Amino acid sequence: TLKQISVFFKGKFVGIARMEIDEIIVPANDVTIIRDIHVSAPVTAVLHHLAALIPQLNNLNASTLNDLTFTGVVEVLGVEYQIG
């Protein structure tokens, strides 16, 4: 079960998504795309990163996206693990 995804911009916390997604199948050496995940971002985190984000909004590119990192919390057999 996927329980949580945390989002970071340049290593700083930006937001969090909490969910309960069961029966996720990831084939060996492959990826699975999960869509429509809603991330809640505290106003203080948004304001803190606003100055860095505004110049990049008009020129989104691979380097901007590389500044985003994610961690997740999955539950397997009743034990929670942090991944990412």
Side-chain angles (χ1 to χ4, degrees):
T1 302
L2 177 60
K3 301 186 76 92
Q4 174 179 303
I5 297 173
S6 297
V7 182
F8 301 86
F9 179 73
K10 294 185 176 183
K12 305 286 187 188
F13 176 76
V14 174
I16 194 165
R18 289 189 170 84
M19 73 284 295
E20 292 280 335
I21 301 177
D22 295 326
E23 301 180 21
I24 298 171
I25 298 171
V26 181
N29 300 316
D30 206 351
V31 299
T32 296
I33 296 173
I34 301 171
R35 299 184 188 281
D36 299 324
I37 301 292
H38 299 272
V39 176
S40 298
V43 173
T44 53
V46 173
L47 291 175
H48 181 74
H49 299 295
L50 199 55
L53 285 170
I54 287 176
Q56 297 180 30
L57 290 178
N58 291 328
N59 188 26
L60 287 177
N61 55 38
S63 64
T64 303
L65 297 178
N66 286 337
D67 290 333
L68 290 172
T69 55
F70 305 88
T71 63
V73 175
V74 294
E75 182 180 317
V76 179
L77 301 173
V79 179
E80 290 188 357
Y81 298 93
Q82 183 165 341
I83 57 173

